[in-house]
Amino acid sequence: MEKIFHEKQEGSLCAQHCLNSLLQGHYFTAVDLADLGRQLDFAERGHLLKEDLGELPSGNVDDHGFFSVQVLSNALKVFNLELVPYNSEACKNVRQNPVEANAYICNHEQHWLSLRKIGLQWFNLDSLLASPRLVSDTYLSLLLEQLRQEGYSIFVVNGVLEQCEA
């Protein structure tokens, strides 16, 4: 498991750690994600009333390092990856057989984590863990249900993830 890339929690940057662990490398910094958040804020404000709204607080990034799902979604588009809500109709087959997905990104309050299939095995890449945690196919279903019951929003990562050395 030492070849599996796993960023450990640093400050409140779990979204950055979640994405980098999912992608298996140092792809995003907090600055990169904050820039994406500001771009989203600018675009969203452009859709609001054309009058001066003053300085509105960001809905996509905060001073503590939290990033919205829109920021993560836009970051993954660079890799031709898409986040789809687990409870959506589009994910009906995945809900019935969760091992058919490539990966999941989960969010609860201000914490993000990723679950990813690497080779033939699933891993919990949560930055709060000391190291990646092996997840059996059977336990994956139970873990997703537990996370859902704990109030996590779960997203299926659609698209092809690059293979890693592990």
Side-chain angles (χ1 to χ4, degrees), residues 33 37 44 58 68 81 91 99 119 143 147-148 150-152 161:
L33 296 177
E44 290 167 0
S58 174
S68 70
L81 299 171
C91 292
V99 297
L143 178 58
L147 292 171
R148 191 189 64 73
E150 290 176 3
Y152 276 80
L161 290 164

Side-chain angles (χ1 to χ4, degrees), residues 133-151:
R133 187 170 292 163
L134 183 64
V135 175
S136 71
D137 287 358
T138 302
Y139 184 64
L140 178 63
S141 297
L142 297 172
L143 178 58
L144 288 167
E145 181 56 26
Q146 176 187 343
L147 292 171
R148 191 189 64 73
Q149 287 184 10
E150 290 176 3

Side-chain angles (χ1 to χ4, degrees), residues 47-124:
H47 292 293
L48 294 174
L49 300 173
K50 298 297 181 189
E51 57 192 67
D52 182 17
L53 299 172
E55 279 296 311
L56 294 174
S58 174
N60 293 299
V61 60
D62 70 18
D63 293 336
H64 303 290
F66 176 76
F67 300 98
S68 70
V69 66
Q70 290 84 0
V71 171
L72 275 74
S73 180
N74 277 14
L76 290 173
K77 285 179 183 175
V78 173
F79 296 89
N80 294 316
L81 299 171
E82 175 188 28
L83 293 181
V84 181
Y86 183 70
N87 288 329
S88 69
E89 186 61 29
C91 292
K92 182 178 179 182
N93 292 337
V94 171
R95 284 193 307 276
Q96 293 172 351
N97 192 11
V99 297
E100 294 300 317
N102 292 320
Y104 298 91
I105 285 183
C106 309
N107 172 254
H108 184 257
E109 295 176 356
Q110 295 205 356
H111 184 64
W112 291 97
L113 65 92
S114 59
L115 306 169
R116 180 184 166 165
K117 191 174 203 171
I118 298 175
L120 299 175
Q121 299 179 311
W122 281 90
F123 291 90
N124 182 343

